[in-house]
């Protein structure tokens, strides 16, 4: 039996895809999640996941943060990205970050089935068009995404609050911690990201489209 997690913040899409896959793949088991937090919880509770179908843009994921975080915390879980965008530069980043496939959300159910079986058989799956386009892309630089994935959950929240423009006192209130602890987190963030000030931290969060999530 194939055990699958569909991580996407659009309930109608999740429902439609789940129904289509259940009708195409006999005995498939599907668990749904709707943001990065619920996806991490699913993966921590379930130890028999064959494949995660991951939406890049669900809450908490940023641009690539969710994928890189999941690959870091659950390296044995195969991940295929599902997205409404087929930008070849983004697909190249996704594949370089450890995804085993990229499936357009507009694909027919048969394409999903083919991709799932290919990945479970140990192959990398891309459409023919994307394979050619990605091959012509320069190797992406994911160094900053990987650095952000090294932040603790509390440090990640502090970084997101810095991006929102909150002062240390406001961050301390939001997280129910002292200002001294906030300062310690900010110092650790600067060190891990190899940056020197709050402006650079805000730029990193903005460039990577980081979003607050409870993790």
């Amino acid at each position: 039996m194939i055990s699958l997690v569909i991580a996407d913040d659009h309930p109608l899409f999740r429902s439609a895809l789940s129904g289509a896959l259940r009708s195409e793949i006999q005995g498939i088991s599907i668990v749904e999640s709707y943001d990065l937090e619920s996806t991490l919880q699913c993966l921590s509770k379930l130890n028999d996941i064959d494949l995660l179908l991951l939406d890049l843009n669900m809450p908490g994921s940023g641009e690539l943060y969710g994928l890189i975080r999941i690959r870091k915390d659950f390296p044995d879980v195969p991940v295929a990205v599902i997205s409404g965008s087929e930008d070849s530069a983004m697909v190249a980043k996704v594949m370089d970050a450890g995804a085993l496939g990229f499936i357009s959300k507009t694909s027919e159910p048969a394409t999903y089935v083919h991709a799932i079986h290919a990945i479970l058989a140990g192959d990398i799956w891309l459409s023919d068009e994307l394979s050619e386009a990605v091959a012509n892309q320069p190797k992406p630089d994911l160094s900053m995404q990987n650095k952000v994935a090294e932040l603790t959950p509390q440090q990640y929240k502090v970084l997101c609050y810095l991006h929102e423009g909150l002062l240390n006192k406001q961050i301390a209130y939001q997280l129910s911690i002292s200002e001294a602890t906030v300062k310690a987190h900010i110092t650790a963030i600067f060190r891990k990201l190899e940056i020197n000030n709050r402006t650079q931290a805000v730029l990193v969060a903005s460039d990577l489209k980081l979003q607050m999530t409870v993790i």
Side-chain angles (χ1 to χ4, degrees):
M1 181 178 72
I2 296 174
S3 180
L4 198 71
V5 174
I6 298 176
D8 189 279
D9 61 324
H10 295 95
L12 292 179
F13 175 79
R14 291 198 312 269
S15 178
L17 181 57
S18 294
L21 293 179
R22 286 191 174 100
S23 67
E24 295 283 344
I25 303 176
Q26 186 174 7
I28 190 172
S29 171
I30 299 176
V31 175
E32 298 179 13
S33 59
Y34 52 87
D35 60 9
L36 182 58
E37 176 193 1
S38 61
T39 302
L40 293 171
Q41 289 176 349
C42 280
L43 296 178
S44 64
K45 292 177 181 177
L46 304 173
N47 55 14
D48 59 348
I49 298 299
D50 294 309
L51 181 63
L52 166 65
L53 297 181
L54 176 69
D55 175 25
L56 283 183
N57 297 315
M58 63 183 182
S61 285
E63 186 176 69
L64 287 174
Y65 172 75
L67 171 61
I68 293 175
R69 173 70 187 276
I70 288 167
R71 295 294 302 133
K72 173 179 173 289
D73 290 357
F74 303 95
D76 295 330
V77 175
V79 181
V81 166
I82 51 177
S83 177
S85 170
E86 295 184 61
D87 177 71
S88 57
M90 176 54 66
V91 177
K93 290 181 181 180
V94 163
M95 303 306 289
D96 203 62
L100 298 180
F102 186 98
I103 310 169
S104 170
K105 284 188 175 182
T106 60
S107 298
E108 295 293 329
T111 300
Y112 278 92
V113 173
H114 178 67
I116 289 169
H117 283 306
I119 293 169
L120 294 183
D123 295 331
I124 302 293
W125 194 90
L126 288 172
S127 67
D128 292 339
E129 295 82 2
L130 280 178
S131 292
E132 183 176 351
V134 168
N136 294 324
Q137 288 291 325
K139 185 174 178 61
D141 180 6
L142 302 180
S143 56
M144 186 55 74
Q145 287 93 332
N146 285 312
K147 290 174 185 175
V148 171
E150 293 297 325
L151 299 178
T152 67
Q154 197 81 320
Q155 289 164 0
Y156 179 85
K157 293 175 190 176
V158 171
L159 177 58
C160 288
Y161 281 132
L162 290 176
H163 183 215
E164 293 176 11
L166 271 64
L167 302 174
N168 288 2
K169 181 184 296 186
Q170 295 170 310
I171 296 173
Y173 175 79
Q174 292 292 334
L175 297 178
S176 300
I177 57 179
S178 69
E179 284 190 61
T181 301
V182 172
K183 291 178 181 178
H185 283 318
I186 292 174
T187 298
I189 291 168
F190 289 176
R191 184 182 71 254
K192 289 182 177 180
L193 301 188
E194 299 180 11
I195 57 178
N196 300 311
N197 54 56
R198 296 170 80 103
T199 300
Q200 290 176 319
V202 170
L203 288 174
V204 167
S206 179
D207 288 344
L208 301 186
K209 300 180 176 63
L210 300 184
Q211 302 169 340
M212 177 61 68
T213 185
V214 182
I215 54 177

